[in-house]
Amino acid sequence: MLDNWAHSANTTNLASFAVSLEIAKRRKPFTDGDYIKDCFMKAAEELFYDFKNKETIMKKIKEMPVSAKTVQDRTAKMSSNITEQQVEDIKLASALSIAIDESCDISDTAQVSLFVRYVSAQGPKEELFGLLPLKGQTRGEDIANAVKTYLEHTRIDLNIIISIATDGAKNMTGVNKGAVSILRSKIDHEILTFHCVIHQEALCAQTLPEEMVTSMNSVIKIINSILAKPLCHGQFKALLDEMDSEYVDLLLHNKVRWLSRGKVLKRFASCLEQIKLFLREKGIEHLELEEDKWLQKFHFMVDITSHLNALNVMLQG
């Protein structure tokens, strides 16, 4: 898309696409275009103050279209162009592996994430191919139909699919009504099916020994006792600042987020001395924080969850 504009005489449009691309890559609001333009104008005033063609430069910057609507349109065009390139690459591939994952977004709308792996002229590729909203139920039939409809819409032959990976849920792997079974019946050859290794790893990580679960519960209880009351929370943050702590606050545990547990434990370990001092000043007793055996188990959990987090990130690319 940018190359097409580069060969046109309208360089302000090319600049507009470049700004929109950076805004999209950094996940910033579309309204930041005007802010960037204002900064560009101010900086240009100083950078080019002694240039003979300063007025021409300033005029070009001023003419650059970066309003919120323009940035939105530019982003949509680039997204569409990338999808078209992706579809053309997949059509040229001799085989295709797909991964399907169903979950809800923050508005409780069920969505199917469709990932693809194939070999193009540039080499092996693994990419997000589509995010498909589900209307109504999330049965295997609904998921399979959403995937089938999307592939047909992009004119990709179902018969080039050689494997399907899922999270192992019943609506995915059911013998008769699972999404994989329904898709398999639409393909005229045998396909391989896999249980996603990321989900397997996440499930294994949840089956920690009872004594470690108890340690984790103690950490969560202590964090909640500090963060639950605004006054107490504010005093703790002030203590961290006063002691020049590496961090300015603790983290709350969220079971839904896979990386949450490791991050919470790592932050707790880094602030352990400040936590112990704060609890002593408040007269709150947590005797386990002074027990060597409990601390050994706690630090082991910090290490193991840090490694699990690193593994998760690598598996997700």
Side-chain angles (χ1 to χ4, degrees), residues 141-154:
E141 180 183 354
D142 301 306
I143 295 169
N145 285 338
V147 173
K148 178 175 173 290
T149 301
Y150 186 71
L151 291 175
E152 289 175 348
H153 172 72
T154 53

Side-chain angles (χ1 to χ4, degrees), residues 38 134 143 219 228 249 268 278:
D38 289 342
L134 293 177
I143 295 169
V219 170
D249 204 354
F268 190 92
F278 183 76

Side-chain angles (χ1 to χ4, degrees), residues 67 115 178 197 227 276:
S67 66
F115 292 86
V197 68
L227 303 186
K276 289 161 69 173

Side-chain angles (χ1 to χ4, degrees), residues 15-16 19-20 30-34 37 64-71:
S16 175
V19 170
S20 301
F30 295 145
T31 50
D32 276 10
D34 288 324
K37 183 176 178 178
M64 183 173 61
V66 285
S67 66
K69 188 177 186 309
T70 301
V71 172

Side-chain angles (χ1 to χ4, degrees), residues 61-128:
I61 298 172
K62 193 172 182 180
E63 289 174 351
M64 183 173 61
V66 285
S67 66
K69 188 177 186 309
T70 301
V71 172
Q72 181 183 2
D73 290 342
R74 298 283 192 259
T75 305
K77 285 180 180 179
M78 288 187 286
S79 175
S80 176
N81 181 261
I82 289 169
T83 301
E84 288 171 9
Q85 293 180 45
Q86 192 180 41
V87 169
E88 290 305 314
D89 280 347
I90 293 173
K91 285 180 179 178
L92 294 173
S94 59
L96 177 69
S97 294
I98 66 173
I100 310 169
D101 184 35
E102 179 269 317
S103 61
C104 290
D105 60 18
I106 57 174
S107 62
D108 287 332
T109 300
Q111 308 225 33
V112 173
S113 301
L114 178 61
F115 292 86
V116 292
R117 177 182 286 177
Y118 58 98
V119 178
S120 72
Q122 292 78 37
K125 289 187 176 181
E126 184 175 324
E127 302 168 327
L128 174 66

Side-chain angles (χ1 to χ4, degrees), residues 190-222:
E190 285 298 316
I191 61 170
L192 300 172
T193 58
F194 301 99
H195 185 179
C196 173
V197 68
I198 299 177
H199 287 86
Q200 291 185 64
E201 187 277 327
L203 290 171
C204 290
Q206 292 174 9
T207 59
L208 292 172
E210 182 62 30
E211 54 188 4
M212 291 189 182
V213 174
T214 302
S215 298
M216 184 69 200
N217 290 339
S218 296
V219 170
I220 294 173
K221 183 178 179 181
I222 293 169

Side-chain angles (χ1 to χ4, degrees), residues 251-317:
L251 296 175
L252 282 170
H253 177 49
N254 185 341
K255 288 185 178 180
V256 176
R257 298 188 179 276
W258 292 353
L259 306 183
S260 174
R261 177 168 49 187
K263 291 181 177 179
V264 168
L265 289 170
K266 185 177 179 180
R267 181 72 61 90
F268 190 92
S270 298
C271 300
L272 184 58
E273 293 307 314
Q274 292 92 330
I275 291 169
K276 289 161 69 173
L277 175 61
F278 183 76
L279 293 176
R280 280 198 300 269
E281 289 178 351
K282 289 292 182 181
I284 302 173
E285 285 192 357
H286 282 283
L287 300 178
E288 63 270 28
L289 295 180
E290 305 295 339
E291 296 176 4
D292 288 340
K293 190 174 181 180
W294 186 91
L295 289 172
Q296 288 171 6
K297 292 176 184 176
F298 166 70
H299 286 294
F300 175 78
M301 277 196 67
V302 174
D303 290 341
I304 197 68
T305 53
S306 293
H307 289 304
L308 288 172
N309 281 3
L311 175 61
N312 257 316
V313 173
M314 286 191 291
L315 288 172
Q316 294 177 64

